[in-house]
Amino acid sequence: LQTFAEDIIRHSADQEFIGMSDAVYTAVRALRGFSQDHIYWEPRLKVESEKIRRGYRLLVEHLLQDLRSQGLQSYIWRHFLHDRRAEYLQTSSSERQVIDYVAGMTDGFFIRTLQKIFVPSPIGWTC
């Protein structure tokens, strides 16, 4: 990763574009091919794609509505926005803030967040 970053910095400095060496470009293309073959088009993921799509829609709509109605008490404020810079909070729309939050989620964090927000926790009744 360090070699990749250093190569891009070296080939992009003082340019109006992001550049990289032929060797790094070849490695990036190989990584992209591997990702497409073994991650993006993985048959087991295809089975889950519609659920994932619905989950994203449900989460984004909920977070946006919650932010607009609950403000500083909203889930996204307490878990993401509370420590953002004032400039970001003033210049980005609610939609942008929700998108930024969701876009930064790993797969596992996305699933845990859906569970936390939408799946009821067991109630431990004591009699």
Side-chain angles (χ1 to χ4, degrees):
L1 190 57
Q2 181 177 347
T3 301
F4 175 73
E6 289 172 354
D7 186 88
I8 288 181
I9 292 167
R10 187 171 35 261
H11 287 87
S12 302
D14 301 322
Q15 302 294 328
E16 292 186 20
F17 56 85
I18 303 296
M20 63 185 74
S21 67
D22 290 340
V24 167
Y25 179 75
T26 300
V28 168
R29 296 277 303 171
L31 181 59
R32 183 174 183 223
F34 176 86
S35 296
Q36 287 180 338
D37 294 344
H38 299 286
I39 298 171
Y40 302 134
W41 306 117
E42 167 61 41
R44 291 173 295 177
L45 288 178
K46 288 235 172 246
V47 172
E48 298 297 313
S49 345
E50 185 54 34
K51 286 193 270 185
I52 293 167
R53 192 175 355 272
R54 276 184 279 170
Y56 275 115
R57 182 179 313 277
L58 186 63
L59 184 59
V60 166
E61 289 173 355
H62 172 80
L63 291 172
L64 187 56
Q65 187 276 330
D66 186 48
L67 177 59
R68 288 177 173 160
S69 65
Q70 298 298 315
L72 299 180
Q73 300 304 311
S74 67
Y75 183 91
I76 193 171
W77 179 267
R78 291 181 283 118
H79 292 90
F80 178 67
L81 295 173
H82 71 278
D83 63 355
R84 299 291 88 121
R85 292 186 351 252
E87 179 185 2
Y88 174 80
L89 296 172
Q90 294 165 358
T91 61
S92 59
S93 67
S94 300
E95 292 87 352
R96 170 80 313 184
Q97 293 169 354
V98 169
I99 290 168
D100 289 346
Y101 179 58
V102 173
M105 292 181 169
T106 62
D107 295 348
F109 186 65
F110 165 72
I111 291 168
R112 287 191 305 278
T113 302
L114 279 175
Q115 290 171 331
K116 191 180 298 182
I117 291 175
F118 295 109
V119 177
S121 298
I123 299 172
W125 296 102
T126 56
C127 297

